[in-house]
Amino acid sequence: MAFLFLQFLNGLNYGMVLSLISSGLSLVFGVLGVLNFAHGSLYMLGAYGAFTFLQYFQNLSMGFWLALLLSVLSVGIIGGIIEIVFLRPVYRRPHAYQLLLTYGLILILDDLVKMTWGTDYKVVPKPQALSGSVKFFGDAYPAYDLFIIFLGPLVALGLWVLVYKTRLGMFIRAASLDREMTDALGINVPALFTLVFMLGSCLAALGGALVGPIRTVSPGMGINIIIDAFVVVIVGGLGNLQGAFLGSLIIGQLESFGILIIPRFNIAFIFILTAIILITRPQGLVGKARI
């Protein structure tokens, strides 16, 4: 019983990390209409950013959180530059152009990471306050992992409030439905798109920075996570924030318990589910919806 519960928590933990990343991916697609393959690279930069900033603040009691904040903000700025320089000229072109462009960005960013940090694995220490564990049924579970489990729904709720309950969110939804009409009403749509892309980048970086203490930080880590993130948005529904959260929970548990059923078939479970969704409900479980 204890083992199954801890496995359930592991699934929730991975699901919440996926939720952070896939919600940013879904937000960008829902508003900008861009399938951003480079989203995983922004996640990777978030992890490396946390590692680097922590070198400067490791002696401070709030060093980890300061490093996390600076990492997220830095990647948000990088995301804004990517949107302005690379993506803005291809918005009106077919999705194939965007896919090729963002795939090229993956290669560029991966090489830049190797040139800057090398190919060695990096380890980000856990914050002191969350370095302990909590016991469930007599077995210990890392407090830091529990923190991620609780943080995921809070971030998802905050994003939902921003998009559906604020004036800025109203502009974002209007731009996602009809950018020409929104522009005609005097709203600066290009700046709004840049802001949305920066927000999506920040969510990816937050996921990467949080994962640093529980997984090794290495070049190419973004490619692994982006595949699962795309599976999540397909399962939940492209461009649907609620779907991204639901899909993350499902994939997290499938990843966690699938390995118990048939260990060597674990990854296949996820893609079998994806195939079933694409065949029977291509709009996703919650439904395809522009933000």
Side-chain angles (χ1 to χ4, degrees), residues 109-270:
L109 292 174
D110 271 16
D111 281 350
L112 286 176
V113 163
K114 290 174 186 172
M115 290 169 58
T116 307
W117 286 281
T119 56
D120 295 337
Y121 293 124
K122 311 294 182 190
V123 177
V124 179
K126 290 181 181 178
Q128 188 65 33
L130 297 174
S131 59
S133 60
V134 178
K135 286 203 171 184
F136 293 102
F137 304 106
D139 287 333
Y141 191 79
Y144 183 79
D145 291 30
L146 279 179
F147 165 74
I148 293 177
I149 291 173
F150 285 113
L151 181 66
L154 291 179
V155 173
L157 178 63
L159 187 60
W160 181 84
V161 170
L162 172 68
V163 172
Y164 293 102
K165 299 295 179 182
T166 66
R167 188 174 177 80
L168 175 61
M170 183 178 67
F171 292 155
I172 291 173
R173 284 182 284 125
S176 73
L177 292 172
D178 192 330
R179 65 183 69 178
E180 285 79 13
M181 180 62 74
T182 307
D183 194 40
L185 292 173
I187 297 168
N188 189 339
V189 174
L192 194 64
F193 277 18
T194 302
L195 183 64
V196 169
F197 197 86
M198 291 176 71
L199 179 58
S201 303
C202 286
L203 288 168
L206 178 60
L210 287 171
V211 155
I214 55 178
R215 298 191 177 199
T216 52
V217 178
S218 63
M221 62 185 288
I223 294 177
N224 298 328
I225 199 73
I226 195 61
I227 294 172
D228 283 356
F230 266 111
V231 168
V232 164
V233 297
I234 290 171
V235 170
L238 280 169
N240 192 310
L241 293 178
Q242 296 94 324
F245 188 76
L246 176 63
S248 299
L249 290 175
I250 294 172
I251 298 302
Q253 294 304 325
L254 202 56
E255 180 92 10
S256 183
F257 284 98
I259 198 168
L260 298 180
I261 300 171
I262 308 177
R264 293 187 178 181
F265 208 62
N266 179 36
I267 297 176
F269 283 126
I270 295 174

Side-chain angles (χ1 to χ4, degrees), residues 5 8 12 14 27 31 36 57 60 70-71 80 91-92 97 106 108 127 129 174 185 187 209 228 269 275 287-288:
F5 184 70
F8 170 72
L12 276 183
Y14 185 56
L27 179 69
V31 179
N36 182 22
F57 305 125
L60 301 178
L70 290 176
S71 174
Y91 279 145
R92 298 186 184 282
Y97 287 86
I106 292 176
I108 293 170
L185 292 173
I187 297 168
D228 283 356
F269 283 126
K288 181 179 179 181

